Amino acid sequence: VEADLSNVNPTAGGIRARLRAELTASILQTARRHVAEHGAAALSLRAVARELQMSSSAVYRYFASRDELLTALIIDAYNAIGEQVEQAADRVAPSNHFGQFEAICHAVRKFATEHPHEYSLVYGSPVPGYEAPPDTVGPAARVPVVLGRLLGSALQAGQLAEPPAEASPIPPSVLSDLEDVRDSTFPEVGADLLARGVLVWVQLFGLVSFELYGHLVGTIDDGDTYFAWSVGEMARSVGLERGGLT
Amino acid sequence: VEADLSNVNPTAGGIRARLRAELTASILQTARRHVAEHGAAALSLRAVARELQMSSSAVYRYFASRDELLTALIIDAYNAIGEQVEQAADRVAPSNHFGQFEAICHAVRKFATEHPHEYSLVYGSPVPGYEAPPDTVGPAARVPVVLGRLLGSALQAGQLAEPPAEASPIPPSVLSDLEDVRDSTFPEVGADLLARGVLVWVQLFGLVSFELYGHLVGTIDDGDTYFAWSVGEMARSVGLERGGLT
DNA sequence: TGTACATCAGTGAACGCGCGTTCACTGATGTAC
DNA sequence: TGTACATCAGTGAACGCGCGTTCACTGATGTAC
């Protein structure tokens, strides 16, 4: 029986690789906590190393630089918020499109209030001197993808109201940009719907950020209620009605 | 004639006071440029002092701390953006409410693209450890005040469409929050209109920030056109129509 | 199965840097009589 | 008008701190024959 141990998990490449993966995870976890507590600007390789009782130079065996560690945390944060949003949407019946939309919006706001620094890491002003590498785009897209798919599914179910007659037509260059997005990711929706969807997506994060950063202090005290009402208005602006179309 | 010089500008309190005011302005101006070039997080008292060829300790005769200097810059930035917006609105005929709204929105976006760090200083994620003092609220309110007054003037001119019948009623607690704002600042509008106005205000800054921080890269390439179209939709959502009501 | 070698993890010291803030001080400018 | 004193601006040194990154190194773990 013992002889088999050498063969356990051969893809992992032995205990060295396993230890390496574990320490990498520990570093990430500690760094994540530091960001959560003090913000991304205050993230220090040395502080993380100190807490893990290793020398600061040892961290360089795992991350080539502070920026690389930051990138990993950014991807992490995008995935965390994406996961919350996906799970929130999944908890609502697929036929209840309005309810799914509400769940998505509230999940974003909940994440932001519970993890303000991680939210800021990805939706706040960029860390000076830091350039986001392309590996972040996939995780970053999770929330808008959920929103887009929701629109597609509501559309196919005939649960999406037409835009009002007074709505301005979408300019051709915008339509052409969005047709590319449609073709690659949302085959079932029209580019004109996407234009309105982007506006709602932006509005959602705009509202969450504005509230989080204190710009509504003195204007709206009951943020919960205002947000809930806003979500209804946002839904309406893309054609989703509470209780569905009749 | 020369004897009169001692009496020039007596309110200024003599040349000492004048020199003091000048140096204070120089420090602010240099600090502002540093923020514009490297961002608020990188603002350093020592660097500012170095550039002005004075010792770092001398700066403390003018600003009690780095935070106090930052606060002055924040107030500055709010005033700069407020002034741009007010002037842009003033350049449009008062009767052209839709045009004024457009001018306001484009002025905000223009400021953000031309002064990204100063925009971030006030609308980005807060500098860690910094708490905004109450002197910032006045300057910060300039843009929303312009928007609110515009709504009031459009309303009085009968140029504001009613909200659509499907719009959700505004919850009482939100109405009560906004009635306070109305009473203090916008006597001519209703709290329900303000609720919609806040949403547009948030949407405007949300869109500008999202674009500035790169979240629309890969989705919307023609940002100018998308923004212009969005402005029209935002206007419509508060009841403003291009060319006015007929 | 044992041995020689290569790879890897981790250390500790160092480099070079910059920061905010304080403090005792020198000289110059203003003020009161 | 002149003098004594108070106020103020500015200096330079110092305190105490932390940072990212590099480098030569030791020892342990893996690998090939």
Side-chain angles (χ1 to χ4, degrees):
Chain A
V1 189
E2 272 168 314
D4 278 335
L5 279 179
S6 64
N7 233 10
V8 161
N9 201 2
T11 53
I15 65 159
R16 186 122 97 181
R18 210 192 60 219
L19 288 177
R20 185 180 176 79
E22 278 172 11
L23 228 186
T24 307
S26 292
I27 293 173
L28 272 176
Q29 187 188 324
T30 306
R32 201 179 303 137
R33 228 192 37 256
H34 283 209
V35 166
E37 282 165 15
H38 312 106
L43 175 66
S44 138
L45 275 189
R46 293 184 101 114
V48 170
R50 238 178 347 251
E51 184 165 325
L52 291 170
Q53 310 208 66
M54 64 200 295
S55 64
S56 58
S57 46
V59 178
Y60 283 83
R61 298 271 168 211
Y62 298 86
F63 295 92
S65 67
R66 181 180 179 274
D67 268 15
E68 200 177 295
L69 181 56
L70 251 189
T71 299
L73 291 176
I74 286 175
I75 292 175
D76 251 36
Y78 273 128
N79 278 323
I81 195 169
E83 203 164 316
Q84 290 296 309
V85 164
E86 287 162 13
Q87 287 177 2
D90 282 348
R91 276 194 290 270
V92 178
S95 60
N96 182 3
H97 303 102
F98 185 93
Q100 288 208 331
F101 182 79
E102 275 186 313
I104 291 166
C105 294
H106 281 97
V108 169
R109 180 165 181 262
K110 183 154 181 277
F111 183 91
T113 51
E114 286 175 356
H115 313 92
H117 284 124
E118 279 146 298
Y119 177 88
S120 296
L121 180 61
V122 292
Y123 289 107
S125 24
V127 181
Y130 174 85
E131 195 78 24
D135 347 4
T136 58
V137 296
R142 285 174 76 166
V143 171
V145 162
V146 172
L147 282 171
R149 296 222 182 290
L150 170 60
L151 288 184
S153 125
L155 184 68
Q156 291 195 314
Q159 289 296 314
L160 219 55
E162 289 292 313
E166 322 89 67
S168 340
I170 288 121
S173 71
V174 171
L175 278 183
S176 124
D177 287 349
L178 289 172
E179 269 156 17
D180 294 346
V181 176
R182 191 264 315 275
D183 292 346
S184 67
T185 321
F186 310 103
E188 66 277 2
V189 306
D192 55 339
L193 178 55
L194 279 185
R196 259 174 283 278
V198 168
L199 211 47
V200 162
W201 170 42
V202 168
Q203 197 171 13
L204 167 60
F205 282 93
L207 183 49
V208 168
S209 294
F210 237 53
E211 188 185 0
L212 187 65
Y213 298 154
H215 293 290
L216 297 183
V217 170
T219 305
I220 306 280
D221 289 327
D222 188 351
D224 290 358
T225 308
Y226 186 73
F227 186 78
W229 171 79
S230 302
V231 167
E233 290 301 290
M234 293 186 223
R236 204 168 51 76
S237 78
V238 284
L240 283 169
E241 296 283 351
R242 163 171 277 118
L245 294 182
T246 51
Chain B
V1 190
E2 271 170 316
D4 279 335
L5 279 179
S6 65
N7 234 9
V8 161
N9 201 2
T11 54
I15 65 159
R16 186 122 97 179
R18 208 192 62 222
L19 289 177
R20 185 180 177 80
E22 278 172 11
L23 229 187
T24 307
S26 292
I27 293 172
L28 272 176
Q29 187 188 326
T30 306
R32 200 179 304 135
R33 228 192 39 255
H34 283 209
V35 165
E37 282 164 15
H38 311 107
L43 175 67
S44 138
L45 274 189
R46 293 184 101 114
V48 170
R50 238 177 348 249
E51 184 166 326
L52 292 170
Q53 310 208 67
M54 64 200 293
S55 65
S56 58
S57 47
V59 178
Y60 283 83
R61 298 270 169 214
Y62 298 85
F63 295 93
S65 67
R66 181 180 178 274
D67 268 16
E68 200 177 294
L69 181 54
L70 251 189
T71 299
L73 292 175
I74 286 175
I75 292 175
D76 251 37
Y78 273 128
N79 279 323
I81 195 169
E83 203 164 314
Q84 291 295 309
V85 163
E86 286 163 13
Q87 287 177 3
D90 283 348
R91 276 193 291 269
V92 177
S95 61
N96 182 3
H97 304 102
F98 185 93
Q100 289 208 331
F101 182 79
E102 274 186 314
I104 291 166
C105 293
H106 282 97
V108 169
R109 181 167 180 261
K110 182 155 182 277
F111 184 92
T113 51
E114 286 176 357
H115 312 93
H117 283 124
E118 277 146 299
Y119 177 87
S120 296
L121 180 61
V122 293
Y123 289 107
S125 25
V127 181
Y130 174 85
E131 196 77 25
D135 345 7
T136 58
V137 296
R142 286 173 75 167
V143 172
V145 163
V146 172
L147 282 171
R149 296 221 182 292
L150 170 60
L151 288 184
S153 124
L155 184 69
Q156 291 195 314
Q159 290 295 314
L160 219 53
E162 289 292 314
E166 321 89 66
S168 339
I170 288 119
S173 72
V174 171
L175 278 183
S176 124
D177 287 349
L178 289 171
E179 269 155 18
D180 294 347
V181 176
R182 190 264 317 275
D183 292 345
S184 67
T185 321
F186 311 104
E188 66 278 2
V189 307
D192 54 339
L193 178 56
L194 279 186
R196 259 174 284 278
V198 169
L199 212 47
V200 162
W201 170 42
V202 168
Q203 197 171 12
L204 168 60
F205 283 93
L207 183 49
V208 168
S209 295
F210 236 54
E211 187 186 0
L212 187 65
Y213 297 154
H215 292 290
L216 297 183
V217 170
T219 305
I220 305 279
D221 289 327
D222 188 351
D224 290 358
T225 308
Y226 186 73
F227 187 78
W229 171 79
S230 301
V231 167
E233 290 300 290
M234 293 187 225
R236 203 168 50 77
S237 79
V238 283
L240 283 169
E241 295 282 351
R242 162 171 277 119
L245 293 184
T246 51

